[in-house]
Amino acid sequence: MSFGIERTYMTGNRLGKMAHFLSGVTLALSGCLFVQLFATEIQAEGSVGQLSSRKADNVSAILNTLLDGYDKRLRPNFGGVSVPVNISMYVYSIGPVSEAQMQYTLDVYFRQQWTDERLRFVGDVSVLSLNSEMVDRLWVPDTYFVNEKSAKFHTVLYKNTLIRMDPAGNILYSTRLTVTASCYMNLAFFPMDKQRCSLTMESYAYSDNHVHYHWIPSGPIYVDEAVTLPQFQFLGSGHRTNTAQYYVGNYSQLIADFYLGREISYYLINVYLPATLIVIVSWVSFWIPRSSTPARTALGITTVLTMTTLIGNAGSSLPKLSYIKAVDLYLEMCYFFVFAALLEFALVSYYEKSCFKEARQRLKEAAENANSPASKSSGSPNSVYSVDKRQDEIEITFVNENALTAANLSRTERVNRGGARRSSYIRAAERGPPPTRASAKQPSTPRQRQEVSQCEEMCGPKCADFGEVGLDPSKVDMNSRKFFPLTFVVLKIAYWAYYVTVTSGGVDDLIADVEQS
């Protein structure tokens, strides 16, 4: 029994030792495998590093070979045909646009492509991408912007320039620029105008016989869809080619056109609407009593000064042009109505004088007496005398007998006085009517002549202009309440109908104008 237990113990001990041995062997094999894999990885990395180093050495050798004997002072195909240079640009920002200085600003990626056969190479590299240091060692076109006012390269954090070459010698040269160029603007329809701002480029030293510019056939100009301007709406772009003729020769030109349409909402709120309201306020004086002279005077002068200030502010940001703009026409029209309202008050105030009031009252009474039955009986046999001569051109009516009877004169004195007056009136009729002022409507009866004479003595010789004794101020105010608004509405409708019709065209009309010019 004890022997069996001892044998079992010895068997278990052997199995434990065997398991321990097997685990040690497994760890050893795992370590060897790990070391082998690590060594393989190191070897692979070394191979990659060697490959990269070999590739870099090849590129360096290619560059050294390319520039061996290369002279950047000579253009490609020197002495032969002109070098074709293809141009494209990516515009990622437009603005600001200044009407006062007639200029605009662009932020672009400017790209030029040409072929230089001297830079061909053979290698396992499809494209060489290099920075600005290589650009300084190669020939590049001396392109400049003809209408440029200022421009700058971007150098933060490094000069934003790249150059790419392929084994065939094709070169792509791209740089980031900010260009401020002149843009002649026709502001005749301002602020409903549409503008075409161009960017013209050409070579400065090489004529058309040496360098010829072309637009890239597919998408030469691309403008970012996120481009926004404060006062304009971007309508589109176009491109043209041209040959500029100078004293030193003909030069190839490329022209990029950018079409901008002005947003009128700002001017509607800050110019047109205030001017219209000021005109309407000036009409309030027609309802203010004529006796309130300070109120009507203050209102008229205030509206005139306000319109003057508005006109000055509207033109402060615009150049001094020799032609009238659409906004100027509207503001001057509003200024005319405001000033006319002030003159209307001056006119009614002048004819509101007491002498004119008295004269109008007397003429009114005379007209009422003339329409009464007593005055109509003046054409009866009681009338002393009446003469009509030269087909109603001269009408002389004498004082009736009732007036002489009222003077308590005897029958003989009345007859003698009437005969003397008849003789003087007949002689006056034969001589013709007295000279009259063309601007005055002459009174038709002796009573009216007498009233006008008295009015002239009190108010001066201008008393009888515009009628027997001047205008009626109440009628002038009543007519102004209708005439001013009606005339203003008609002119305003004509203004907007004309300018909206003329400026309704789009980019196609602008392109057509360019082609015609």
Side-chain angles (χ1 to χ4, degrees), residues 191-209:
M192 293 166 279
D193 56 324
K194 294 180 177 63
Q195 301 298 336
R196 174 178 56 87
C197 293
S198 301
L199 187 64
T200 305
M201 59 207 76
E202 67 179 36
S203 173
Y204 192 85
Y206 297 101
S207 65
D208 194 18
N209 296 327

Side-chain angles (χ1 to χ4, degrees), residues 62-76 114-116 118-121 128-142 161-166 169-173 206:
I62 291 173
L63 294 177
N64 293 331
T65 304
L66 284 176
L67 299 179
D68 187 14
Y70 183 85
D71 190 352
K72 71 174 185 178
R73 295 173 297 178
L74 302 179
R75 68 173 179 86
W114 69 94
T115 300
D116 192 344
R118 297 174 296 177
L119 298 178
R120 291 182 176 179
F121 63 89
L128 291 176
S129 297
L130 308 171
N131 59 12
S132 60
E133 293 182 0
M134 190 64 181
V135 175
D136 298 333
R137 306 174 63 182
L138 300 178
W139 178 92
V140 295
D142 59 338
T161 301
L162 70 86
I163 189 166
R164 291 178 179 175
M165 298 185 300
D166 63 7
N170 299 318
I171 301 175
L172 169 63
Y173 173 53
Y206 297 101

